[in-house]
């Protein structure tokens, strides 16, 4: 849920709560004021009744306008005056009505009477109902207006923020255009744009420094390695060398080749992590897999491995160079870690690419399998192949997973929807 929706929801809930509680307090306050006015009228009527008794007239029931007075003889000596709500029969309207009454003890010719005067509160009740309905209507209009205001005005207010967020998501460190942010009338959003802009500049500077270092390191390392390799090639062809010298030179040659591949792999990882490789083209994956299988045909035959392929038509936009590295690592791992006479299965569907191969009976450590320089004890590789695979998958938002089922090591690449 978006922040504006959260704000609207919270604002409406708080407003409804406050208005509901306020309406209850308001209703009781109006009732209290109305009762106070009725009580003052009752007190006046009670005073008139007492004056009526002092004139020497016998107490009797009377109805005046809507005032209803009843005198009841009693043996009680004391009675505390009280005001209360009641229901009485109004002889004028011939129906029961709600009323407000006062009750007090009066004395006439040494005889005690309880005088109860009741007045109708129908008028007050009607007035309270009208006021309550008008108040509730105003509250409903206020809440509806508040909802519309938050829904549409605040959405417009947050537009620059979402624009900035979209620009951050699309930000590519290798792109030339700098981050600009969406201008806004809100000071906090402008400060956010300014902070992100400064951060992007620092990141770009660091990226350019790293890129320059990587390119220089690559050049400086590759040149002497190439020179050493060339000289070793020349030495290996020298027929005057003895077997022991030739063996030592061959070992040095293998080590130099391994260092060269390691250097190339590390440089490629640096490029992937910095998203330097940006060339994209439409690749027909089933053709790329078939071509790669042909390249590994000699190695497959050397270990007498059986390769089966179930390939459907699938195209994917990516760097041809990186897809070649991806397939190369899958094939080389499936061959290198397989046993003599084993099997390899390659399946390509619209949703996923799956490599299965026989090999060691135990599954690989799934939590470390894609980490750098993590490899099995019997592995002759550099420990960077699966790291390259993972980074390539991350670059193109592909899901990569490993499992070991029924003796088969399975690597699955999930294509994005």
């Amino acid at each position: 849920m978006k922040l504006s929706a959260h704000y609207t929801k919270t604002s409406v809930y708080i407003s409804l709560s406050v208005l509901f509680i306020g309406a209850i307090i308001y209703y009781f306050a109006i009732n209290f004021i109305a009762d106070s006015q009725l009580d003052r009228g009752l007190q006046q009527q009670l005073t008139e009744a007492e004056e009526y008794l002092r004139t020497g007239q016998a107490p009797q029931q009377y109805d005046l306008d809507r005032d209803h007075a009843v005198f009841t003889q009693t043996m009680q000596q004391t009675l505390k005056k009280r005001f209360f709500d009641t229901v009485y029969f109004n002889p004028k309207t011939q129906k029961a009505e709600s009323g407000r009454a006062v009750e007090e003890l009066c004395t006439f010719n040494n005889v005690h009477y309880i005088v109860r005067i009741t007045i109708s509160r129908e008028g007050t009740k009607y007035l309270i109902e009208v006021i309550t309905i008008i108040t509730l209507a105003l509250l409903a209009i206020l809440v509806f207006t508040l909802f519309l205001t938050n829904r549409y005005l605040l959405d417009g207010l947050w537009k620059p923020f979402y624009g900035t967020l979209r620009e951050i998501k699309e930000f590519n460190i290798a792109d030339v255009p700098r981050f600009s942010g969406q201008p806004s009338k809100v000071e906090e959003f402008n400060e956010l744009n300014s902070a992100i802009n400064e951060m992007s500049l620092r990141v770009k500077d660091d990226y350019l420094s790293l890129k320059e270092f990587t390119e220089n390191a690559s050049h400086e390392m590759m040149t002497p390695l190439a020179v050493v390799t060339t000289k070793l090639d020349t030495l290996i062809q020298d027929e005057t060398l003895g077997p022991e010298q030739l063996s030592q030179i061959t070992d040095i040659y293998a080590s130099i080749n391994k260092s060269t591949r390691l250097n190339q792999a590390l440089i490629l990882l640096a490029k992937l992590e910095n998203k330097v490789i940006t060339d994209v083209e439409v690749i027909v994956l089933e053709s790329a897999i078939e071509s790669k299988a042909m390249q590994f045909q000699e190695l497959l035959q050397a270990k007498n491995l059986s390769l089966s392929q179930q390939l459907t038509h699938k195209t994917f936009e990516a760097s041809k160079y990186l897809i070649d590295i991806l397939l190369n690592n899958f094939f080389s791992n499936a061959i290198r870690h397989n046993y003599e006479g084993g099997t390899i299965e390659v399946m390509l569907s619209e949703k996923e690419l799956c490599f299965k191969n026989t090999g060691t009976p135990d599954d690989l450590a799934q939590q470390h399998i894609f980490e750098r320089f993590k490899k099995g004890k019997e592995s002759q590789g550099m420990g960077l192949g699966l790291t390259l695979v993972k980074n390539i998958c991350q670059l193109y938002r592909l899901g990569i997973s490993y499992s070991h089922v029924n003796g088969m090591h399975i690597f699955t690449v999930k294509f994005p929807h």
Side-chain angles (χ1 to χ4, degrees), residues 357-376:
N357 67 273
T358 52
T360 56
D362 299 326
D363 61 343
L364 306 177
Q366 297 190 27
Q367 65 272 30
H368 301 303
I369 191 171
F370 295 108
E371 294 181 7
R372 294 185 183 188
F373 303 113
K374 295 290 183 181
K375 58 181 182 178

Side-chain angles (χ1 to χ4, degrees), residues 212-234:
E212 183 180 7
F213 169 79
T214 304
E215 290 173 350
N216 292 340
S218 171
H219 176 74
E220 295 299 327
M221 291 181 68
M222 290 303 294
T223 302
L225 287 173
V227 171
V228 173
T229 303
T230 303
K231 291 186 177 297
L232 287 174
D233 282 338
T234 305

